[in-house]
Amino acid sequence: MNEEEAVASHQARQQASARPAPSSAPHGAGEENGRSQGGQGGGARRPSLPLIYANEVTAAEPALDFVEGLLVEGGMSVWYGDSNVGKTFCVLDLAMHVALGRPYRGREVDQGGVVYCALEGVAGIRNRVSAWMKHHWIKPADRSDLPLAIVPSAINMLDVDADVPALIEAIKVAAEQLGRPVKLVVIDTLSRALAGGNENSPEDMGALVRASDMVRQACGAHLGFVHHSGKDQARGARGHSLLRAATDTEVEISRGEGSEVSLVKVTKQRELEIGDDMGFRLEVIDLGTNRRGKPLTSCVAVEAGAQEMAELAKSKNTPRPKGKYQPGMFRVLNNLLAAEGFAQMVSPKVGMPPQRCVRKAVWQEQCYQDNVIERGKTGRGAWSDSTIAMAAAGLICMTEEWVWR
């Protein structure tokens, strides 16, 4: 017996127990599976929620993943990263693969309608979709069959009585017009959907999650948010932690300094196993000219090749400054080492060949002046902890007096 059958069986038991039993019923009558269905005075005890008992439990199908190993039907995902790492291009590329039912990064895809909510402006999404269709040779004659609809306006998901009913209605209308169920709804971005709310507030973020649940339950679609990283990228997406708790799939998008390849890393899966990292680069697509006769372009996310992914994996093993203070301190040190008058060729340790070094006191003072760390007890503690951590990670070498790379 599967879970649906168990629920139906439970309802049947409820209906049966509602009929009064004959007073002459033998001892044990009105019991099923050893569990009494009667209460005081022979009345039925009806739980307000369905129950599945141990002997009714059977193996169930895993969550239905319409993008194999990545996204589940009716779930919620958050795709986050810093600015200018290609988040929107990455998510749009996935959405277009869902609309066409094309394999995505080696994963099978079940085709379904897509509703893309472009809350930060319609011009950008028009150009991005046009660029994607041009790059993938989608002919104008075939575009009427592409099950994609765009919502080109702001949506308030902070107040469930504001735009949430309208969004649900729009998704249902889109499904009718597209001729197939909507499998994916993209909200780009979460910050705009929060409509001025406080991302760090449990009340505001909770309201957004409740609105998301309403949309998913009413439409059966997967809801994907495009979001930003926090100040400390190592701590994940920006905002209150209950967002992550409510998320089925969380995906981090990042790009190393000087790299052209963005890394797509799944950081959480509730129902599925976390798969391999993916990568992409942005390719510029010519869309003609604007009204001033100047080139009109946009970009598409193109899957990174094997060599690019190998180089990306190698760069991931290279230590990088982390946390609130290290990146700024590291930048200041590099500037000092490159500047004449600050760096000196000295032997920082006895018997060591000369190195291009900077005095630690000079480095520390420059960090104060550049507002990388604050003066006072707190700043001195941050300075000490950060220098020790950077040395342990192999980012810098230092003595009591000197620091070098």
Side-chain angles (χ1 to χ4, degrees), residues 137-151:
W137 297 91
I138 307 297
K139 299 177 181 179
D142 298 329
R143 295 179 185 180
S144 60
D145 297 326
L146 181 63
L148 169 72
I150 298 171
V151 176

Side-chain angles (χ1 to χ4, degrees), residues 212-353:
S212 304
D213 291 343
M214 289 176 60
V215 173
R216 294 187 294 125
Q217 291 167 6
C219 303
H222 182 104
L223 201 61
F225 285 99
V226 179
H227 194 27
H228 299 281
S229 299
K231 292 181 179 180
D232 182 359
Q233 189 171 359
R235 298 181 64 181
R238 197 169 69 191
H240 196 274
S241 59
L242 67 78
L243 174 66
R244 189 172 199 267
T247 299
D248 296 291
T249 303
E250 184 185 64
V251 184
E252 178 189 42
I253 303 172
S254 61
R255 184 190 299 159
E257 186 176 351
S259 175
E260 294 184 354
V261 177
S262 293
L263 177 68
V264 181
K265 181 180 182 65
V266 178
T267 55
K268 176 189 175 182
Q269 283 285 24
R270 191 191 307 278
E271 301 288 348
L272 306 171
E273 293 185 5
I274 293 179
D276 295 336
D277 295 346
M278 299 172 283
F280 69 91
R281 53 184 169 79
L282 296 180
E283 183 171 316
V284 178
I285 304 297
D286 181 14
L287 298 176
T289 57
N290 62 17
R291 61 189 177 86
R292 294 187 174 89
K294 295 181 179 180
L296 180 64
T297 63
S298 188
C299 293
V300 294
V302 177
E303 184 177 6
Q307 182 61 35
E308 290 174 313
M309 290 302 294
E311 293 175 357
L312 191 61
K314 182 179 179 181
S315 68
K316 284 173 56 182
N317 297 324
T318 303
R320 297 184 183 279
K322 299 178 180 179
K324 180 178 179 181
Y325 301 105
Q326 291 183 29
M329 292 171 60
F330 196 64
R331 183 185 67 252
V332 170
L333 176 60
N334 286 334
N335 291 339
L336 291 174
L337 286 170
E340 297 297 332
F342 291 97
Q344 302 179 45
M345 293 297 296
V346 298
S347 297
K349 295 181 179 180
V350 176
M352 187 175 182

